[in-house]
Structure formats: C-alpha cells, structure tokens
Amino acid sequence: MSQTRTADQQMRYQKRVDELLAMLKEQGEYHKQVDNAAEWAKLKEKHGDALTIKQCYPALGQKVLEEIATNFYDAVYADDANWFADQFRNASPKEEAILNQWTFFVEHMGGPKVFEFWRNPGAETLVRFTHQRFRMTMAGLGRWLDHMQGAVRKTGLNERAPELAQLFINWCMAFGQHMVEHPI
C-alpha cells in the first residue's frame, strides 16, 4: 500500500515545495539550462583528475538532476517486481521521493543547500532514519542501478557528457554498495 497524505499534510507539503522553488528561482538556479559538455570541460580543466562528484553541480544543473530523479522514480514505482518496488511505494508518495532525491543530488554535488532547506537542519540524520526501512540486497542493488542508469540515459546525459554520466553512475554504485554492506 503506498503512502497517502491528508489534505492538511498535502497543503503543508505544497507550501514547502513552493518555498523551495521560490528560493531556487531567486538564486537563478531553477531549471537553468546548462550546457553539460561545456561545463564538464571547464570542470575537468580546473580540477583535472582530482574532480569529484561534489564539484559536478555546475555541469549537471538542477534541471538534469530533477529529470534523473523523476525518470528513476517513474521506473521504480512502475517496477513489476513488488519485492523491490513496494519498499519505495510504501515509504512515501512518488512526488515526495522525487523531490527528496533531486534536492539531495543538488546539495551533495556542490549546488545550493536545497536538501537541508527542504528537509530542515538535521537532514543527514533524517536520511539515515528514512533509509533504515530499506533492506538492500545485491539483487535489489542491481535493480536500483538498472533504474538509475536508465534514468540517466533518458536525460541524454550519456551523449552530451559521457564522462560526467559515468562519474554520476559510479557515485550511485558506491552509494548503493554502501547500503548493501552497511545497512542503516
């Protein structure tokens, strides 16, 4: 059974979403078009081999990260393997999962502090608490990564900036592996 909200919860949720989007618009970040390949080249020139995922927000941008999260959760929530998909469906409504994920991506890839804004201070503790209900197995990790790779491919990032897409996927693989080896 998937999570649903009361009318009051939905109203509070929408108010926070509106505040978040207003903050991004004020900073000039909301759905800003980013030339992924050009920005990636600038980052590579500046950081060379020391480039990490934490510096990639300028090359990814909020719009692409939101598209990845949307594509990912569309696939996860539609997955016919209930043993996998129900963990997500039962955790939160899809639109909330999407918002949580792209704000997490933005902040952890060097963008504005939108995840902290969205989830309030103590967001890292909340990430741990939220994920403790997930019991990631190697089979689950494989499915999770397949959906994440499909989500990235669907944005076209693989064609525009293949090294950037691979760095993103490698980061996701490391995160997922950590979830298997060190369940929260």
Side-chain angles (χ1 to χ4, degrees), residues 22-162:
M23 181 186 79
L24 284 170
K25 286 176 185 171
E26 184 177 297
Q27 294 176 2
E29 294 292 332
Y30 185 67
H31 280 200
K32 178 172 90 177
Q33 288 298 110
V34 174
D35 180 341
N36 304 116
E39 291 300 324
W40 175 249
K42 287 181 199 173
L43 286 174
K44 287 288 285 183
E45 185 176 314
K46 181 177 179 182
H47 299 286
D49 292 336
L51 183 62
T52 69
I53 198 70
K54 297 240 180 232
Q55 299 154 317
C56 287
Y57 178 75
L60 287 163
Q62 177 264 324
K63 186 176 190 295
V64 167
L65 293 172
E66 186 176 351
E67 287 175 14
I68 291 171
T70 300
N71 295 341
F72 173 76
Y73 278 109
D74 283 348
V76 166
Y77 277 65
D79 194 313
D80 58 1
N82 290 331
W83 63 267
F84 174 77
D86 282 349
Q87 293 183 79
F88 297 90
R89 293 180 194 130
N90 294 334
S92 64
K94 184 168 69 169
E95 69 273 5
E96 186 174 323
I98 291 168
L99 185 67
N100 286 338
Q101 188 171 66
W102 73 257
T103 58
F104 178 82
F105 286 164
V106 166
E107 186 166 323
H108 284 78
M109 295 179 186
K113 300 288 184 198
V114 292
F115 185 71
E116 186 175 298
F117 172 85
W118 168 243
R119 300 305 291 189
N120 296 316
E124 290 304 318
T125 302
L126 186 59
V127 167
R128 293 182 193 288
F129 175 76
T130 300
H131 285 83
Q132 67 188 165
R133 75 183 109 224
F134 294 99
R135 296 292 172 232
M136 188 65 78
T137 62
M138 287 306 290
L141 175 59
R143 240 178 152 76
W144 185 85
L145 285 171
D146 285 346
H147 288 310
M148 191 59 73
Q149 288 170 325
V152 170
R153 256 190 320 277
K154 197 170 179 182
T155 67
L157 188 61
N158 291 6
E159 291 79 36
R160 293 189 308 272

Side-chain angles (χ1 to χ4, degrees), residues 160-175:
R160 293 189 308 272
E163 285 182 278
L164 177 58
Q166 191 58 55
L167 180 64
F168 180 85
I169 291 299
N170 290 347
W171 178 77
C172 289
M173 288 172 57
F175 180 82

